[in-house]
Amino acid sequence: MKNFLALFQVAFTGCLLFIYVVISNNPEQVFPTLLYWLKIAVLISVSIVIVNAVSFLVINFWLTRKKRTRPSRLLKLIVSGFLYLICTFIILRILGQETTTFFTTSALFTAIVGFAMQEPLGNFLSGIFLQINQPFQIGDQIQVQALEGVVVEGVVESIDWNSTDIRLTSGEITYVPNGVIAKELVKMITPSSVYRTVDFTTSAHVPPNQVMDIACKAVINQPLSNINLDKPVFVRMWSYGLEEVNYKLFYYPKNYSEAENHTDPEIRCRVWYALSRTSLGSEYQSTENERLLQLVSNIEFFRNLTVEAQRLLVEHSKTLLFDADELLNSQNLLSPGMFLVVRGCVMIEQKLVPNLETITFKPFSRQPQNHTQSSYALKPLAVEQVASELAEYIGPVAFSLTYQVAKEVSSLYWLYASLASEIENIDQRQEFIRQQPDAPIEKFLIGDFFGEMNLFMGEPLPLVKITTFEDTEILAITPAAVANALHHDGISINTMGQYITQYHNNYLTGTLQEVPSSILNQDGISEQMQEHLEPYFRRLLDPLDI
């Protein structure tokens, strides 16, 4: 809006100037009085454009960007007023007016007004001196002894022409006259000890301790960059009503000036998503069951279930909502469970875990994407560099081998992983792997899923970084939902175990989601599933059996 007004002012000034030039070239066609007032209008309009431009350069560019300070409204007023005073003097000179009489009259008028408004003008001049010396800035925490010996401590919110606004730790704002601050001792307090509060509201029927715990974990488990975790993050119930309860989340920002416009909204958003996952926040219309049913029916090991069983699977599962760039881990995922992407996108770091003794490297998954299929050609110079590095360990054969493997992989990360097995010496192999670039990111889109072995066997999710790329909805399929579906169709755990074993051998062998060989050799997948899912079947048959 400000940019639009500035452009409008420039355009308006240009039009006035054009009209004045045209009319001044033909003075006989207009009245002299009209030409005189048009000249005044042009001078005033040009002055406004110049003052706005100079103010922008001084305030927004020099002070804000170069000096890294937050100028107050008072400083902006002072700069603009000073510039307008200069422009007034110049305009009077151009119009041929006597400036001495003007300033003499102005000085007399100022003296009269100053005597009548001694205290307000004192505050105004004190505010000017505060802006010149800048003992503190907006966002700083100060302590000042105000009237009647009262000590005021808080964060500077703004500096106006009459007073400095200080937000107390209780959240209230105190207006301290600038004249008082100029006379009294002002104590600066370390910025890291300044906290902010973020308000949010939930239903009055939800236990407060549960709300406060969820909100705190939403911030602590994946803190935003501007939150100082060296200080406590806590939530307090602030006001109580019959229908809703208001809470305040307290935190300490690293950069106070960025907190209001950036950190506070991000915290509110994060808390909303955290409460929605536990059904404690506002109602949200999740994806319809028919759409979920279609996605579940496309999963290989659920295709043999009847439609009624698949519907039971969906109804006993839970949809989880996540904010963009939110970390998915055991704190906010239902575990044990399998996680199906319903909407949005999940980014999984495709980090390899090398077993240097057996020369094996494991990606996270092979199902959504096949990393052995090259989606683009690697740069010849990069491939040649890798071949040169490999040649130090296996000799000239490294060049032909590297170029052959480069045709089958999609990134340098996989190229290093595929070639490392050619080096027999474990120490040399590890040295070669250290030159590997960062792991690629695998995208899980709608219909993709992960955590299969976590659902059926209780195996923990691999320790890789899993984040959401955008606002994302995930269907968490739990063992209880699987038990309901299998019980409805009369399918035994052993039969389902055969499906999962076949699926495991086809898709998860050689990945980070592979079942450990110690478990496979000892009991097998079916036996482990029997042990893991049996309690859920017992609870289904006898709800009182814990």
Side-chain angles (χ1 to χ4, degrees), residues 22-32 35:
V22 172
I23 294 178
S24 61
N25 290 331
N26 301 278
E28 66 281 354
Q29 298 181 4
V30 295
F31 294 105
L35 184 62

Side-chain angles (χ1 to χ4, degrees), residues 284-302:
Y284 171 80
Q285 188 66 34
S286 60
T287 302
E288 296 180 356
N289 282 356
E290 292 301 322
R291 173 61 176 158
L292 297 177
L293 184 62
Q294 180 181 0
L295 294 174
V296 168
S297 64
N298 291 331
I299 299 176
E300 182 172 337
F301 41 81
F302 290 145

Side-chain angles (χ1 to χ4, degrees), residues 464-529:
V464 294
K465 186 177 180 181
I466 306 176
T467 57
T468 53
F469 179 73
E470 56 191 358
D471 180 82
T472 301
E473 182 179 356
I474 290 178
L475 180 68
I477 302 176
T478 62
V482 173
N484 273 275
L486 297 183
H487 176 71
H488 179 275
D489 280 4
I491 299 177
S492 66
I493 299 179
N494 287 332
T495 302
M496 191 65 179
Q498 296 175 8
Y499 300 152
I500 300 303
T501 300
Q502 183 179 359
Y503 170 84
H504 175 273
N505 295 335
N506 291 339
Y507 298 105
L508 300 184
T509 301
T511 72
L512 288 179
Q513 298 188 82
E514 179 183 19
V515 177
S517 58
S518 58
I519 295 180
L520 292 178
N521 295 336
Q522 182 179 359
D523 299 318
I525 291 180
S526 296
E527 287 76 6
Q528 285 292 318
M529 285 181 57

Side-chain angles (χ1 to χ4, degrees), residues 149-442:
V150 178
V151 177
V152 176
E153 179 180 332
V155 179
V156 178
E157 289 283 324
S158 64
I159 304 175
D160 296 324
W161 68 272
N162 184 56
S163 64
T164 297
D165 305 344
I166 300 177
R167 182 178 293 276
L168 307 180
T169 54
S170 62
E172 300 174 341
I173 294 182
T174 298
Y175 303 92
V176 182
N178 291 330
V180 174
I181 294 180
K183 296 177 183 178
E184 300 296 337
L185 177 65
V186 177
K187 178 182 178 182
M188 293 287 296
I189 301 177
T190 307
S192 60
S193 61
V194 182
Y195 69 79
R196 287 189 62 86
T197 61
V198 177
D199 297 342
F200 64 94
T201 304
T202 64
S203 170
H205 305 290
V206 181
N209 288 338
Q210 190 176 0
V211 173
M212 292 187 288
D213 181 62
I214 293 172
C216 278
K217 288 181 178 179
V219 176
I220 295 175
N221 291 338
Q222 191 184 356
L224 302 169
S225 58
N226 194 36
I227 295 180
N228 183 9
L229 287 184
D230 294 333
K231 299 287 185 176
V233 176
F234 56 95
V235 179
R236 294 291 182 266
M237 187 171 69
W238 208 251
S239 61
Y240 175 77
L242 295 178
E243 297 297 331
E244 60 183 23
V245 177
N246 179 257
Y247 295 86
K248 287 184 180 291
L249 185 146
F250 295 77
Y251 78 98
Y252 292 80
K254 296 178 181 178
N255 187 339
Y256 195 93
S257 62
E258 296 182 358
E260 181 177 2
N261 295 329
H262 300 285
T263 312
D264 290 0
E266 291 173 346
I267 290 177
R268 290 191 186 94
C269 187
R270 187 63 53 82
V271 170
W272 186 93
Y273 278 94
L275 292 175
S276 71
R277 289 195 291 270
T278 54
S279 302
L280 300 182
S282 303
E283 294 185 1
Y284 171 80
Q285 188 66 34
S286 60
T287 302
E288 296 180 356
N289 282 356
E290 292 301 322
R291 173 61 176 158
L292 297 177
L293 184 62
Q294 180 181 0
L295 294 174
V296 168
S297 64
N298 291 331
I299 299 176
E300 182 172 337
F301 41 81
F302 290 145
R303 290 174 186 168
N304 294 328
L305 298 177
T306 62
V307 175
E308 291 75 12
Q310 293 174 352
R311 195 178 301 277
L312 283 174
L313 191 68
V314 170
E315 291 174 354
H316 288 82
S317 299
K318 181 176 178 58
T319 56
L320 305 176
L321 298 176
F322 293 93
D323 192 10
D325 299 322
E326 192 167 356
L327 184 67
L328 308 187
N329 52 30
S330 58
Q331 299 291 337
N332 51 28
L333 290 173
L334 295 180
S335 186
M338 188 184 82
F339 310 101
L340 172 66
V341 180
V342 176
R343 175 173 54 82
C345 176
V346 174
M347 311 292 287
I348 299 180
E349 187 179 77
Q350 210 34 324
K351 185 176 181 180
L352 297 175
V353 178
N355 185 335
L356 296 174
E357 295 182 358
T358 58
I359 323 176
T360 59
F361 295 85
K362 296 182 178 182
F364 180 82
S365 174
R366 289 179 181 170
Q367 186 193 10
Q369 295 180 352
N370 187 348
H371 72 269
T372 61
Q373 295 179 354
S374 178
S375 58
Y376 57 90
L378 298 178
K379 294 182 179 179
L381 290 178
V383 176
E384 184 176 354
Q385 181 180 354
V386 176
S388 300
E389 295 170 357
L390 183 62
E392 297 179 6
Y393 305 105
I394 66 174
V397 70
F399 289 91
S400 60
L401 182 62
T402 302
Y403 281 106
Q404 180 62 35
V405 175
K407 299 177 182 179
E408 303 173 356
V409 297
S410 59
S411 70
L412 288 176
Y413 187 85
W414 296 116
L415 183 60
Y416 275 94
S418 302
L419 294 173
S421 59
E422 302 295 330
I423 304 175
E424 296 182 1
N425 185 281
I426 295 178
D427 294 334
Q428 292 179 348
R429 187 182 308 138
Q430 190 170 9
E431 182 179 339
F432 177 72
I433 285 297
R434 289 197 191 101
Q435 304 173 71
Q436 194 177 36
D438 294 336
I441 301 297
E442 185 175 12

